[in-house]
Amino acid sequence: HKCFALVKDVKVFVSTEDNQPYLSIPCSEHKITSAVWGPLGEFVIAGHENGEINQFSAKSGDILKKIKEHTKQINDIQSSVDNTMFITASKDNTAKLFDSTSLDHIKTFRTERPVNSAAISPIMDHVVMGGGQEAMEVTTTSTRIGKFEARFFHAAYEEEFGRVKGHFGPINCVAFHPDGKSYSSGGEDGYVRIHYFDPQYFDFELEV
C-alpha cells in the first residue's frame, strides 16, 4: 500500500462518525514514520524513513519545505511546549533540534546507539532521549551494553549531564509531564516508568 498522511476533523468524526479524512497527502518515495502539527496548525511536519523532514501545507497538502539532516530513519518527532521548535530522534544515533517554521537546524545531540524517542522540557533548557540496540540483538547482550538509560542533555550546550537507568530493553518512547516536574519512559520490556525530579534538578546549572 502507498503511504499517505491523512488529516481528519475530530469534530466532524465525533458528531457524524464520518471517518473520511478531509485531506490525504500521498508520499510516494519514502514512508512517513512520525508527524506533528506546526505552529497554528498551518502545516504538518513529517519525518521519513530515509531521514528526510517535510513540511506539508494543512490546506493543500503541498510540500512547503524539505530538508535532510539525518542519514537514517527518523523514529520520533516531538514539539516544544510553544510549538516554535521540534526535536527528532533517529536511527543515525542522534537527536536534532529544529525551528518549526523555517526548518533551520539548531542543535545536535549525539549518542552511540539508535535514538528511538526524544522530548523537550517545557520549563528547562533540557532534552531527554531514549533508545538502545535493536530489539532482535538485545537477548545476546547485558543491560549495560544495551545502553537502556534515558539520557539528559542541555538544549543550548549540547552536553549530556545525566542518565537514568531502569529499563531492561530499549526505550521506545519518552515524554515530559506538561508541568516539567516529571517524565515518563516506555520500554521494549513492557514497562512505563514515571520519574519525578528531585528538588536539586531544578537548581542545577551546567558548568561549561
Side-chain angles (χ1 to χ4, degrees), residues 75 90-94 111-116 130-134:
N75 291 324
S90 172
K91 280 187 174 181
D92 66 6
N93 301 355
T94 67
T111 71
E112 319 83 42
R113 291 289 186 275
V115 185
N116 294 335
Q133 282 177 306
E134 296 284 349

Side-chain angles (χ1 to χ4, degrees), residues 16-167:
T16 66
E17 294 192 358
D18 178 5
N19 199 25
Q20 294 302 310
Y22 76 79
L23 182 63
S24 180
I25 305 169
C27 304
S28 55
E29 293 182 14
H30 302 283
K31 76 175 183 181
I32 293 174
T33 50
S34 187
V36 293
W37 286 103
L40 305 176
E42 293 178 346
F43 48 80
V44 174
I45 299 164
H48 296 257
E49 63 181 351
N50 68 333
E52 203 169 76
I53 299 171
N54 285 339
Q55 198 182 78
F56 295 102
S57 167
K59 292 181 179 177
S60 65
D62 295 336
I63 295 177
L64 304 176
K65 291 187 178 72
K66 178 190 290 190
I67 60 168
K68 192 172 186 298
E69 292 286 345
H70 286 289
T71 57
K72 294 183 180 178
Q73 176 174 306
I74 293 172
N75 291 324
D76 186 31
I77 298 179
Q78 295 193 35
S79 301
S80 61
V81 66
D82 60 0
N83 251 17
T84 58
M85 297 183 296
F86 66 91
I87 191 167
T88 56
S90 172
K91 280 187 174 181
D92 66 6
N93 301 355
T94 67
K96 298 192 177 190
L97 201 62
F98 296 89
D99 181 278
S100 295
T101 304
S102 67
L103 295 191
D104 287 342
H105 175 220
I106 303 170
K107 299 288 179 183
T108 298
F109 311 98
R110 303 182 190 281
T111 71
E112 319 83 42
R113 291 289 186 275
V115 185
N116 294 335
S117 185
I120 306 168
S121 169
I123 62 170
M124 307 285 280
D125 289 330
H126 298 164
V127 301
V128 62
M129 296 157 51
Q133 282 177 306
E134 296 284 349
M136 66 184 78
E137 300 173 8
V138 169
T139 53
T140 60
T141 59
S142 72
T143 54
R144 183 68 192 92
I145 296 172
K147 308 279 187 194
F148 303 138
E149 304 105 332
R151 303 172 66 162
F152 286 80
F153 285 75
H154 195 283
Y157 303 124
E158 302 174 319
E159 292 283 336
E160 183 179 359
F161 66 85
R163 298 187 184 191
V164 179
K165 297 180 181 178
H167 284 286

Side-chain angles (χ1 to χ4, degrees), residues 175-194:
F176 279 99
H177 190 282
D179 66 10
K181 296 178 180 178
S182 63
Y183 85 95
S184 300
S185 57
E188 194 82 29
D189 54 11
Y191 286 92
V192 175
R193 301 177 65 87
I194 303 171

